[in-house]
Amino acid sequence: MKLVSLAQAGREITSDILKSGGLMENTEPPSMEGLETFVAKNKGLKMDSKPAVNGSASVQSQILSSAQWFTSKSVKKTPPSAVTSIIDGLKRLYSEKLKPLEATYRFNDFVSPFLTNSDFDAKPMVMLLGQYSTGKTTFIKHLLRCNYPGAHIGPEPTTDRFVVVMSGPDERTIPGNTIAVHADLPFSGLTTFGGAFLSKFECSQMSHPLLDQVTFVDTPGVLSGEKQRTQRTYDFTGVISWFAAKCDLILLLFDPHKLDISDEFKRVIASLRGNDDKIRVVLNKADQVDTQQLMRVYGALMWSLGKVLNTPEVVRVYIGSFNDKPINGEVVGPIGQELFEKEQDDLLMDLIDIPKKACDRQINEFVKRARAAKIHAYIISHLKKEMPTMMGKAKAQQRLIDNLEDEFAKVQREFHLPGGDFPNVEHFREVLNSYNIDKFEKLKPKMIQVVDDMLAYEIPELLKNFRNPYE
């Protein structure tokens, strides 16, 4: 402060002055003009009641106490100033409310690994699925209007690995093991599929304006026969299911000459269960057949899909030729050419809307996960309750595993839960075989109540205080 006084008096600060010390002892304190006005101004600051826009919190949300933020009595008091957007709010709710429930009842082992900050911060993803040579890689190339690192295109099954095409400072490919341990990328959960999968997984980075908004996932073509099941050294359908939960849009690609849905492809589509609202069907390379044949191809495709997609609604099918070549007008005629252009515009609009809907999608997936974690906790605690206290534990465990469908029905009736939200019985049984049910936790109503309060009060309050940054 004495140095400030000397500077205000116009004296030059030198090493001699600092060493002598005599001059500094006789120095008056510095003048602090404007400090009182600044303090008074801050004390009288009025709170702004408008909600935050573009991820910035309002002054009110920064100063309000946690008791004013949420109406639930069981909510832990945490400073709301730490939350500046919907995504920040979801991170806080997950770490404080939902993750403890998941850890207690081992949700990460049975259903899905724990979420990390990178999962919340990730860009929207679009996954392309289909049999080989249906134009998946060409579709991405068509949208980017250029090649991306590691792209291989040909009539044979060329893409033999999962490729994530995302934004990066320079053009390069990153091996799967490196991506899985990268803290800033949302792929750490893929380590559960082992090194065999990670050797068939890579990330392709390049600087592109479209990739700044959306990430694409190119998948290997689904093989037919035993090759799909026996020659894949990893759980292919499990990986597809993991990506499906993370993606915002899933495109199933067909071409007019590959309409048959094999048993392997049927299993892949079945693994998308619970993500039906994300699925879009693309009939690619449609300019290879004339108008009459296209009508028959479309009918055959809808017939095949009706047997696989067990939904009462009709799935949206986009018809076109999504590559860099001009549409073959001689084959499809002027009517077909106009149809393809309109369909392509509709699909592009669907893709453009993805970033706008990404925030809503994250909330939707978060709520879905919270409900799944609750049901999982009910199931685990019910199995624990059914175990004897002293003798016959091994027989009781085997009986519970064998009659798992009946135990699910008991839980559903006891807690009045919707049957469609329960996990796949066979997968649950397979994981359960490697656990000792007697070591599971009993039901903790307080933990369930915390999640219920989060869904009923805190998430609605979060949406009320913050708007979608894309609006």
Side-chain angles (χ1 to χ4, degrees):
M1 297 298 285
K2 292 180 179 179
L3 289 175
V4 174
S5 298
L6 290 173
Q8 287 181 349
R11 295 182 178 273
E12 185 180 356
I13 309 299
T14 63
S15 58
D16 296 332
I17 291 178
L18 295 175
K19 288 177 182 177
S20 64
L23 184 62
M24 295 184 68
E25 288 177 2
N26 301 321
T27 307
E28 294 293 328
S31 61
M32 307 293 284
E33 294 181 4
L35 181 62
E36 294 179 358
T37 308
F38 178 76
V39 172
K41 183 180 177 182
N42 276 292
K43 284 183 178 179
L45 184 65
K46 293 183 178 180
M47 294 185 298
D48 184 8
S49 61
K50 292 182 180 179
V53 183
N54 294 333
S56 60
S58 64
V59 179
Q60 180 181 8
S61 64
Q62 291 182 0
I63 337 178
L64 283 176
S65 66
S66 55
Q68 288 173 300
W69 249 61
F70 305 121
T71 55
S72 169
K73 293 182 180 179
S74 67
V75 174
K76 296 178 183 178
K77 293 187 176 182
T78 54
S81 58
V83 178
T84 57
S85 68
I86 288 179
I87 301 303
D88 284 346
L90 291 179
K91 287 180 188 176
R92 184 182 69 85
L93 291 177
Y94 177 73
S95 61
E96 293 181 7
K97 316 291 182 185
L98 186 54
K99 192 174 181 180
L101 181 72
E102 293 183 359
T104 302
Y105 296 101
R106 309 187 189 193
F107 181 80
N108 57 310
D109 294 332
F110 282 81
V111 183
S112 175
F114 292 130
L115 297 180
T116 61
N117 284 344
S118 58
D119 290 310
F120 290 98
D121 296 329
K123 294 184 179 72
M125 285 198 286
V126 177
M127 180 169 65
L128 289 87
L129 274 174
Q131 302 181 75
Y132 73 90
S133 195
T134 52
K136 298 184 293 296
T137 306
T138 307
F139 184 90
I140 298 175
K141 180 188 170 187
H142 174 63
L143 291 178
L144 298 177
R145 301 198 179 278
C146 64
N147 269 322
Y148 59 87
H152 302 289
I153 298 172
E156 73 281 3
T158 47
T159 305
D160 65 339
R161 59 191 63 228
F162 285 79
V163 182
V164 174
V165 187
M166 62 190 307
S167 178
D170 52 2
E171 293 191 9
R172 60 171 180 161
T173 58
I174 309 173
N177 285 285
T178 306
I179 311 167
V181 296
H182 203 300
D184 295 333
L185 299 178
F187 305 114
S188 57
L190 290 170
T191 53
T192 56
F193 296 103
F197 164 72
L198 293 176
S199 65
K200 295 289 185 182
F201 175 54
E202 69 179 29
C203 174
S204 177
Q205 286 190 339
M206 63 182 295
S207 179
H208 195 282
L210 179 59
L211 296 179
D212 290 337
Q213 305 295 326
V214 181
T215 295
F216 292 97
V217 181
D218 193 7
T219 61
V222 179
L223 304 174
S224 57
E226 289 296 300
K227 290 183 289 185
Q228 173 71 24
R229 195 166 53 85
T230 60
Q231 293 187 11
R232 304 269 194 207
T233 54
Y234 56 89
D235 181 11
F236 185 81
T237 54
V239 174
I240 293 291
S241 181
W242 187 92
F243 272 111
K246 302 282 183 184
C247 285
D248 293 68
L249 198 66
I250 302 167
L251 297 179
L252 297 180
L253 273 77
F254 295 86
D255 79 18
H257 305 293
K258 290 190 178 70
L259 292 178
D260 178 49
I261 300 177
S262 62
D263 291 340
E264 292 73 26
F265 197 15
K266 192 180 294 184
R267 279 196 288 269
V268 169
I269 295 175
S271 70
L272 305 177
R273 175 178 172 262
N275 300 287
D276 303 327
D277 58 321
K278 304 177 184 179
I279 297 175
R280 306 287 186 275
V281 177
V282 178
L283 181 57
N284 199 15
K285 304 181 183 180
D287 62 345
Q288 295 180 357
V289 294
D290 61 32
T291 309
Q292 184 182 14
Q293 291 173 327
L294 180 60
M295 182 180 66
R296 292 174 179 170
V297 164
Y298 181 80
L301 176 61
M302 297 304 289
W303 173 264
S304 300
L305 288 172
K307 294 182 177 180
V308 180
L309 297 173
N310 297 317
T311 56
E313 298 85 8
V314 178
V315 67
R316 178 68 166 96
V317 179
Y318 297 99
I319 303 171
S321 184
F322 301 95
N323 53 53
D324 296 333
K325 298 176 183 177
I327 296 172
N328 191 344
E330 295 181 2
V331 176
V332 299
I335 298 177
Q337 189 161 351
E338 185 183 355
L339 170 68
F340 290 175
E341 289 172 356
K342 287 182 178 179
E343 289 286 288
Q344 179 157 326
D345 290 344
D346 287 350
L347 179 55
L348 290 176
M349 286 303 299
D350 218 349
L351 292 171
I352 289 169
D353 283 343
I354 290 175
K356 296 180 183 177
K357 298 176 182 176
C359 191
D360 296 330
R361 176 72 67 188
Q362 286 221 3
I363 296 166
N364 183 63
E365 293 299 321
F366 185 85
V367 172
K368 192 191 298 184
R369 184 183 180 96
R371 287 179 176 153
K374 266 182 58 183
I375 289 177
H376 178 78
Y378 283 134
I379 293 171
I380 293 295
S381 58
H382 171 79
L383 294 175
K384 165 72 175 177
K385 187 177 70 173
E386 293 295 311
M387 290 291 288
T389 53
M390 296 292 290
M391 302 176 64
K393 292 184 179 181
K395 288 183 179 179
Q397 171 155 338
Q398 193 57 49
R399 175 180 54 80
L400 289 172
I401 292 174
D402 292 340
N403 301 319
L404 204 54
E405 295 93 337
D406 297 335
E407 301 305 323
F408 279 15
K410 288 179 185 176
V411 175
Q412 183 183 349
R413 287 194 299 270
E414 182 180 355
F415 297 102
H416 309 288
L417 302 170
D421 290 350
F422 276 72
N424 181 273
V425 175
E426 293 304 321
H427 174 72
F428 199 92
R429 181 182 287 124
E430 184 182 341
V431 180
L432 192 60
N433 274 318
S434 58
Y435 284 92
N436 183 355
I437 296 179
D438 195 47
K439 301 291 184 184
F440 288 160
E441 294 284 343
K442 294 180 180 178
L443 185 64
K444 298 183 177 179
K446 285 186 178 179
M447 297 188 81
I448 300 292
Q449 187 60 44
V450 166
V451 175
D452 283 337
D453 289 344
M454 178 189 74
L455 294 173
Y457 303 112
E458 302 186 46
I459 290 181
E461 190 70 23
L462 189 66
L463 296 175
K464 185 173 148 186
N465 282 280
F466 299 98
R467 288 207 296 259
N468 188 338
Y470 288 98
E471 287 181 352

